[in-house]
Amino acid sequence: MNLANKITISRLFFVVAMLVLVLVCSGNESLAGYGWAKMVAGGIFLVAALTDFLDGHIARSRNMVTTFGKFLDPIADKVLINSTFILFTAGVFPSIRLSAIITIIMVVRDIIVDAIRMIAVEKKQVIAASIWGKLKTVMQIVALGTIFFIPVKYIEVGYVLAWIAAGVSLLSGIDYFWKSRKIVLEGIR
């Protein structure tokens, strides 16, 4: 297994560590209100997000792109981002409650794009990544990172960034559908 794939796998371990920390602390009244758990979870989140950029860069620059990496990388990304949005929506931190609409947009967009990708693979088509997809990822990481680290009295800034990320995610999904509309709508008259 090459270095890029090991980094991708490490992202899944970081997600598990973050989830265990957050869920253990939220289930224990003596730990739930402490900001240290949110800060440590935020640090784990940022390290995991960094691996998203690092594994792709290493794979491309060192010619380590593999089928396994192409399969696992987007899964690891979605697990990291969507599970974090779900945590903030579920209110595991007493002072944070992200709108369910934001999380629904993120998850549904990913499901639709993954379905389109499956159709494209079946038709032996490649749908090029767009700037919207890259911007979506950056905005999601910025929004979630802000929510983890911003003082509670300014949490609205994090919420605004999450809404912006949801808007960019929606535009990214629309762009992806538009580029693939011929293969998706094939056979509909």
Side-chain angles (χ1 to χ4, degrees):
M1 180 175 305
N2 68 33
L3 177 61
N5 289 340
K6 288 177 183 175
I7 293 171
T8 302
I9 290 170
S10 76
R11 184 157 59 255
L12 292 172
F13 285 107
F14 284 124
V15 172
V16 170
M18 179 186 70
L19 292 174
V20 168
L21 172 69
V22 168
L23 295 175
V24 165
C25 289
S26 71
N28 184 332
E29 286 185 32
S30 65
L31 298 176
Y34 290 106
W36 69 267
K38 186 173 78 135
M39 298 300 273
V40 172
I44 294 169
F45 171 81
L46 290 179
V47 170
L50 179 63
T51 67
D52 180 23
F53 297 105
L54 189 60
D55 63 0
H57 172 73
I58 288 172
R60 287 184 297 277
S61 67
R62 297 184 184 178
N63 198 24
M64 293 181 176
V65 176
T66 65
T67 302
F68 178 75
K70 289 179 190 177
F71 167 76
L72 190 61
D73 183 67
I75 291 171
D77 296 346
K78 287 173 178 66
V79 169
L80 172 66
I81 297 296
N82 289 333
S83 63
T84 307
F85 272 109
I86 290 167
L87 287 176
F88 287 140
T89 301
V92 295
F93 296 107
S95 56
I96 300 170
R97 178 70 81 161
L98 194 60
S99 171
I101 295 168
I102 293 170
T103 302
I104 290 167
I105 289 169
M106 300 298 183
V107 172
V108 169
R109 180 257 179 219
D110 285 347
I111 291 168
I112 291 170
V113 167
D114 287 346
I116 292 170
R117 282 189 179 130
M118 286 190 297
I119 294 168
V121 166
E122 182 181 300
K123 304 276 184 187
K124 296 186 180 9
Q125 303 270 336
V126 174
I127 301 165
S130 74
I131 188 68
W132 289 107
K134 294 178 187 335
L135 185 59
K136 168 198 70 88
T137 301
V138 169
M139 283 307 306
Q140 288 172 329
I141 291 169
V142 167
L144 293 169
T146 300
I147 292 170
F148 269 118
F149 291 105
I150 199 161
V152 174
K153 64 182 179 179
Y154 302 116
I155 198 63
E156 293 298 322
V157 172
Y159 294 162
V160 168
L161 290 171
W163 277 108
I164 292 169
V168 173
S169 184
L170 193 58
L171 289 173
S172 162
I174 291 167
D175 179 61
Y176 207 88
F177 177 81
W178 184 253
K179 287 179 178 176
S180 61
R181 68 191 182 282
K182 289 181 183 175
I183 60 172
V184 171
L185 301 174
E186 185 180 291
I188 295 179
R189 301 259 179 235

